[in-house]
Amino acid sequence: MTDNADDFGRNMVANLYRHRGTTVESASARDAYHTLAVTIRDRLIERYARTAAAHYAANPRFVYYLSAEYLLGRQFEQNLLYTDTREQARVAASALGYPLDDLAALDAEPGLGNGGLGRLAACLLDSLATADIPAVGYGIRYDFGIFTQSFRDGAQRELPDDWSHYGTPWEFAAPDDRLEVGFYGHTEAYNGSGPRRRWVPGETVLGEPSHMLVPGWGTETVNIIRLWRAVASSDSFDLGHFSAGRYGDAVENVTHVENITRVLYPDDSTELGRELRLKQQYFLVACTLRDIVRRFRLRNEDFDHFADKVVIQLNDTHPVMAIAELMRLLVDEYALDWDRAWGITRRVFAYTCHTLLPEALETWPVSLVERLLPRHMEIVYLINHHFLADVERHFPGDHDRKRRMSLIQEEPERRVRMAHLAVVGSSAVNGVAELHSDLLSAETLRDFAQLWPERFHNVTNGVSSRRFLRIANPRLSGLLTERLGGEEWLRDLDLLADLESHADDRALQERWRDIKRRNREDLALHVKDATGVVIDPDAMCDVMIKRFHEYKRQLLKVLHIVTLYHRLRDDPAADVVPRTFVFGGKAAPGYHAAKRIIALVNGVGAAVNADPVASRRLRVAFVPNYNVTRAELIIPAADLSEQISMAGKEASGTGNMKLALNGAVTVGTLDGANIEIRDRVGDENFFLFGQDAAEAARTRRGYYDPRSFYERDPELRAAVDAIASGAFSGGDRGAFSSVVDSILYHDEYLVMADYRSYVDTQDAVDGAWRDADRWTRMSIMNTARCGFFSADRTIRDYRERVWHVDPVRVGPHHPVTAPD
Ligand code: NBX
């Protein structure tokens, strides 16, 4: 496809007619946006056709990434970049009478995920395509994504996120590929012996796929992400009820079926255990495996080759019922014997764990699985039977070990342990940062790591440099491209290391500071708009953006802010560096403790911002509705990155990588990937504080008295007392009593124990900031030394350690029609 501005413009006008049925003169902004998007999409579709043909011809091993969540972010800017059509699009947009940026702002972000896990999935798909790896991402097309957050009186309010209300130009529905998914019912014997049985579902629903294009950067490859939605069959609508005026009853069945993919569960890290959630998970798994088998059979017949052509990466335990489902397909539907089916299944699956919190390890009541998926329950029992016999062979008579490792937990209620099923049914298991993988092997999954040490790997997370540097931070990217002599760093992020030798270059430092300042100005405009808070673009931008969770310790950050506030109140001339504290993040709607902390941040912010003395130095801005789009605005402006979780709790973190890559200096604990960031950027360019994982575990195991810290530390006492006294809740002493009690009497996450170390370290941050050259040097070093945290490297690690797949190059002139 040729791409001069004239061709692009003609193509766009044709698309305006064909897709919107309107004219240049009467095109609305949304008409213009949609038409432009479709015109960009045309460039990708052509590449996709060539990719599909190349994959068909090569019949390679495919990576199938199974994830209940994807946080893709806006696609407009990214697709402009990946098709290199920005200039043509600018000209075409203005021909329709609109600035390109106004149209880009109409692009909706599909919020089909909660946080890190969902965004990681999107970054990995981007890097898979960039590395020319044949891959498909499978997920759920939720009608409503992660809720839209707003604040009322400082408290979080949740509104539904109807992300595709206006339709989305990036999505192609494929109603012809609908398939049936069963639930409930019973199982029956086949004639003949063996484990083969027939499942007779009590309810069937239709799964309809749609796909979005996932282009690689600087390559011809365009992969896809396939999303499933539940649709009722046309006979689900009860015309009889409708005619009788019973309109609610008429659509009851339709609603019942379509509710399966209605809404993303907004709970990260804590399990709700709702039946509908299990239905969602199985729905994804059933649709996806049928699709994978269909794709396999396009070019292959014998299931003995299945594992040579298929690797399925399970993103946490949410899709783990896929292991039982593949066994069901192979044994019941394709009549393979059990051992052969199990050999294939085990080779196909790989499992990534994303947590260390025991409460986040999914289990499902046996009674529920028996009812919803009766055949799968039988299969899980059979897998368990063989597995426990294997454990017995390795550890004869060790009954306690068998009880610990069983796929079924017996007490206090019989439940299926999904993480155990995942490990038993996979050939590779990985954590997402070195510390996390070590703790998985040494603690959470110790028994399994002892039995099968060769299965356990580390694959440290990474992030997309295209999205989080090139697109989010065009100013810094421009400078990098100029200094590094081209854009090659976007495919090889290790090239950033070349900057290191220029870290003391005055001219570079000046440019670097200027860019940060202008990024802070952009952020200030948004903050003013979204919150009314005015921030000083010269103040240090201190950023804490992540889900609200007690283990992440937003509360520790609050205690620091209150401490600085008190210092200024007690002495208006106190030596406090001007700072803007920027917060972003949502709390699960049912997680009351986290929601109280959100209200407290807003309460402290209101007090600080309104205080005539403190507000001269300090401002607090809580940007509502944190999402990928907001991240792209906040991260480039950040000077200080808050990564302050209790050590041993954060599996990896990926915001930490995005911020460091954009030249923010980290203040953090030795947790998750912070350790690897510090190892790389150097301890002189990282502010470390607090107990490490071993110390924290010891503190928690021994006698821990959080109140003693309160009693001994006057600044800590003053901060806690102020919260308790109603200073941040209009005098209401009860408002935050649950928060105060939790840290004074339980303090599960060692906020009190780490407070002094944190505040002292923050004083050292102030000291470093005052020396502008020193700070800028630290900032440059962070960018220069974070090339390792590219998701491209993560994909290389998965390829070598887990997937063993080869790239397929897509030629520029590949035949567009698939052979035979
Ligand atoms: O996955 C996150 C971890 O907390 C991060 O440390 C890590 O960097 C990231 C990527 O590996 N986990 C996460 O985001 N979990 C969820 O979003 C989640 C969603 C639903 C659910 C449980 C967890 N039921």
Side-chain angles (χ1 to χ4, degrees):
M1 189 163 284
T2 53
D3 256 335
N4 59 51
D6 284 353
D7 286 343
F8 190 94
R10 262 193 299 278
N11 189 194
M12 189 199 58
V13 172
N15 280 335
L16 180 70
Y17 296 163
R18 287 202 302 253
H19 289 272
R20 304 297 286 190
T22 187
T23 65
V24 171
E25 292 71 26
S26 46
S28 68
R30 204 169 290 283
D31 289 329
Y33 153 74
H34 191 96
T35 305
L36 206 52
V38 167
T39 308
I40 298 160
R41 190 181 79 179
D42 286 343
R43 273 87 194 137
L44 292 175
I45 270 294
E46 195 261 341
R47 283 188 199 170
Y48 170 59
R50 279 185 280 121
T51 304
H55 289 175
Y56 186 92
N59 188 20
R61 189 177 204 206
F62 275 81
V63 175
Y64 295 112
Y65 198 82
L66 250 73
S67 178
E69 303 193 5
Y70 291 91
L71 281 175
L72 298 170
R74 285 181 171 165
Q75 277 149 287
F76 192 93
E77 277 291 346
Q78 173 165 9
N79 289 339
L80 275 180
L81 176 70
Y82 284 34
T83 55
D84 195 18
T85 50
R86 183 159 241 291
E87 185 49 27
Q88 294 91 311
R90 196 189 57 74
V91 172
S94 72
L96 290 176
Y98 299 97
L100 185 61
D101 287 349
D102 291 9
L103 301 186
L106 294 176
D107 205 35
E109 168 176 341
L112 309 181
N114 273 286
L117 170 153
R119 181 56 227 178
L120 181 77
C123 284
L124 294 184
L125 290 188
D126 175 82
S127 290
L128 276 163
T130 299
D132 295 315
I133 309 291
V136 179
Y138 283 101
I140 299 175
R141 190 200 184 288
Y142 303 104
D143 292 340
F144 295 97
I146 187 70
F147 63 85
T148 299
Q149 177 196 55
S150 67
F151 301 126
R152 187 161 56 190
D153 299 331
Q156 170 174 291
R157 280 208 311 159
E158 299 102 21
L159 296 162
D161 164 45
D162 189 4
W163 63 281
S164 60
H165 186 82
Y166 292 102
T168 156
W170 309 117
E171 186 184 19
F172 300 89
D176 288 347
D177 292 352
R178 279 182 189 172
L179 38 81
E180 272 188 12
V181 178
F183 294 103
Y184 308 106
H186 64 275
T187 70
E188 317 174 324
Y190 268 95
N191 305 331
S193 58
R196 188 177 186 202
R197 288 180 70 82
R198 179 185 293 117
W199 174 25
V200 184
E203 175 184 306
T204 57
V205 308
L206 294 173
E208 179 180 299
S210 61
H211 61 272
M212 295 189 192
L213 304 177
V214 181
W217 189 83
T219 169
E220 297 293 309
T221 297
V222 174
N223 286 330
I224 60 167
I225 172 173
R226 204 150 211 222
L227 302 176
W228 301 97
R229 97 187 159 94
V231 291
S233 56
S234 51
D235 57 12
S236 300
F237 178 72
D238 193 324
L239 192 58
H241 280 331
F242 192 85
S243 306
R246 290 160 59 190
Y247 307 121
D249 293 342
V251 294
E252 191 188 313
N253 232 330
V254 177
T255 307
H256 172 76
V257 167
E258 298 189 347
N259 274 349
I260 293 175
T261 53
R262 190 77 69 204
V263 50
L264 166 81
Y265 277 92
D267 303 270
D268 69 324
S269 312
T270 37
E271 276 315 313
L272 252 118
R274 297 254 163 85
E275 176 165 343
L276 186 62
R277 165 92 175 152
L278 183 58
K279 259 186 140 168
Q280 263 186 0
Q281 293 185 352
Y282 178 66
F283 175 79
L284 164 63
V285 155
C287 293
T288 300
L289 283 188
R290 289 264 296 280
D291 205 52
I292 291 172
V293 170
R294 177 190 64 78
R295 290 172 53 97
F296 169 74
R297 286 157 69 92
L298 289 175
R299 293 296 319 267
N300 312 276
E301 276 157 27
D302 188 343
F303 276 108
D304 281 336
H305 299 307
F306 193 67
D308 302 330
K309 302 296 178 186
V310 172
V311 54
I312 301 178
Q313 189 67 39
L314 301 166
N315 199 22
D316 219 278
T317 52
H318 319 142
V320 162
M321 201 54 87
I323 291 168
E325 175 70 359
L326 183 58
M327 285 302 287
R328 188 186 73 79
L329 291 174
L330 295 178
V331 172
D332 294 355
E333 313 245 326
Y334 294 102
L336 269 63
D337 70 55
W338 180 271
D339 290 342
R340 191 172 156 221
W342 183 245
I344 295 167
T345 298
R346 266 230 28 239
R347 282 179 63 210
V348 161
F349 286 103
Y351 160 59
T352 304
C353 176
H354 293 268
T355 191
L356 282 162
L357 306 181
E359 67 268 29
L361 290 180
E362 257 187 321
T363 62
W364 290 106
V366 165
S367 57
L368 171 59
V369 180
E370 254 165 5
R371 196 159 48 79
L372 188 69
L373 304 169
R375 181 58 184 140
H376 298 79
M377 195 62 241
E378 293 171 355
I379 290 171
V380 169
Y381 278 136
L382 253 177
I383 296 173
N384 202 31
H385 171 80
H386 290 291
F387 164 58
L388 292 179
D390 203 20
V391 177
E392 173 63 28
R393 271 192 297 280
H394 282 84
F395 301 97
D398 192 343
H399 299 297
D400 199 46
R401 184 180 295 265
K402 276 188 283 186
R403 183 191 52 75
R404 293 195 306 265
M405 296 181 80
S406 173
L407 304 188
I408 310 294
Q409 164 196 313
E410 299 290 338
E411 301 284 338
E413 173 195 31
R414 303 194 71 219
R415 299 179 77 97
V416 182
R417 295 161 160 160
M418 301 308 281
H420 292 200
L421 177 57
V423 178
V424 171
S426 295
S427 50
V429 177
N430 76 282
V432 289
E434 275 169 19
L435 174 68
H436 177 231
S437 300
D438 289 347
L439 291 174
L440 281 182
S441 296
E443 286 167 26
T444 322
L445 300 172
R446 180 181 48 225
D447 291 322
F448 294 90
Q450 281 173 5
L451 183 60
W452 300 309
E454 70 290 348
R455 263 187 221 191
F456 285 76
H457 305 270
N458 173 246
V459 182
T460 297
N461 284 166
V463 302
S464 164
S465 57
R466 272 80 63 183
R467 181 167 291 269
F468 291 104
L469 260 177
R470 177 64 185 80
I471 296 171
N473 198 346
R475 295 190 181 100
L476 189 62
S477 297
L479 177 58
L480 295 173
T481 298
E482 190 186 306
R483 283 285 171 151
L484 303 174
E487 285 209 310
E488 196 49 27
W489 58 274
L490 280 175
R491 62 162 57 261
D492 179 3
L493 207 57
D494 288 332
L495 293 176
L496 293 181
D498 281 3
L499 276 182
E500 227 182 87
S501 51
H502 307 288
D504 293 311
D505 174 339
R506 307 295 300 189
L508 178 71
Q509 289 205 348
E510 282 299 326
R511 293 273 303 278
W512 200 271
R513 275 195 289 271
D514 182 56
I515 286 166
K516 270 286 175 212
R517 195 200 135 94
R518 288 166 65 188
N519 291 345
R520 288 191 301 255
E521 284 169 0
D522 288 352
L523 176 61
L525 285 176
H526 174 82
V527 165
K528 174 79 182 49
D529 222 45
T531 69
V533 176
V534 175
I535 62 180
D536 170 7
D538 284 320
M540 180 204 302
C541 184
D542 178 345
V543 165
M544 188 157 190
I545 42 176
K546 51 186 80 246
R547 284 297 284 250
F548 273 73
H549 202 295
E550 289 164 285
Y551 85 79
K552 295 180 188 276
R553 301 200 295 191
Q554 277 92 356
L555 201 45
L556 184 56
K557 181 75 254 169
V558 168
L559 291 175
H560 173 233
I561 299 172
V562 174
T563 299
L564 295 182
Y565 172 56
H566 285 166
R567 285 184 189 170
L568 283 166
R569 192 198 51 192
D570 296 347
D571 172 13
D575 209 5
V576 173
V577 155
R579 284 205 206 201
T580 310
F581 302 98
V582 176
F583 286 88
K586 297 173 183 178
Y591 188 177
H592 298 292
K595 291 176 94 168
R596 288 320 296 156
I597 297 170
I598 285 186
L600 179 59
V601 170
N602 279 321
V604 169
V608 168
N609 296 342
D611 186 278
V613 174
S615 69
R616 271 190 266 139
R617 306 272 178 88
L618 308 177
R619 294 283 163 107
V620 180
F622 195 149
V623 177
N625 201 36
Y626 180 63
N627 57 13
V628 179
T629 307
R630 307 268 185 284
E632 290 172 29
L633 181 72
I634 297 170
I635 290 168
D639 298 299
L640 187 66
S641 162
E642 300 277 350
Q643 308 300 337
I644 62 178
S645 51
M646 171 179 146
K649 293 292 172 188
E650 189 70 88
S652 162
T654 46
N656 47 2
M657 302 170 185
K658 294 162 197 168
L659 284 156
L661 212 43
N662 277 274
V665 181
T666 304
V667 55
T669 48
L670 286 178
D671 200 13
N674 295 353
I675 299 175
E676 289 156 79
I677 292 176
R678 180 167 171 270
D679 285 348
R680 288 189 164 72
V681 304
D683 46 11
E684 70 283 14
N685 300 309
F686 187 107
F687 292 97
L688 177 68
F689 78 97
Q691 302 191 0
D692 68 17
E695 288 164 344
R698 241 180 285 123
T699 306
R700 281 251 45 109
R701 265 199 308 272
Y703 173 75
Y704 173 54
D705 177 17
R707 229 194 127 86
S708 67
F709 293 92
Y710 166 88
E711 272 151 12
R712 274 179 298 168
D713 191 325
E715 283 198 316
L716 174 56
R717 193 163 59 241
V720 174
D721 286 349
I723 296 169
S725 73
F728 309 113
S729 42
D732 176 358
R733 295 170 151 273
F736 297 120
S737 56
S738 61
V739 177
V740 170
D741 287 354
S742 82
I743 46 171
L744 273 184
Y745 301 108
H746 313 285
D747 197 21
E748 172 92 24
Y749 301 107
L750 305 182
V751 170
M752 305 298 260
D754 276 349
Y755 167 87
R756 181 43 52 194
S757 166
Y758 181 56
V759 170
D760 289 349
T761 304
Q762 286 286 4
D763 291 341
V765 169
D766 270 13
W769 179 260
R770 283 194 194 93
D771 180 348
D773 290 348
R774 175 177 168 209
W775 187 277
T776 308
R777 183 174 202 288
M778 293 172 80
S779 173
I780 295 172
M781 289 307 238
N782 268 270
T783 302
R785 293 179 171 177
C786 276
F788 176 80
F789 299 103
S790 167
D792 298 341
R793 187 271 315 151
T794 307
I795 289 299
R796 283 198 296 275
D797 289 350
Y798 275 108
R799 272 187 64 193
E800 282 166 20
R801 295 170 200 173
V802 180
W803 297 334
H804 314 293
V805 291
D806 296 316
V808 172
R809 309 269 170 230
V810 178
H813 305 295
H814 216 278
V816 169
T817 47
D820 38 83

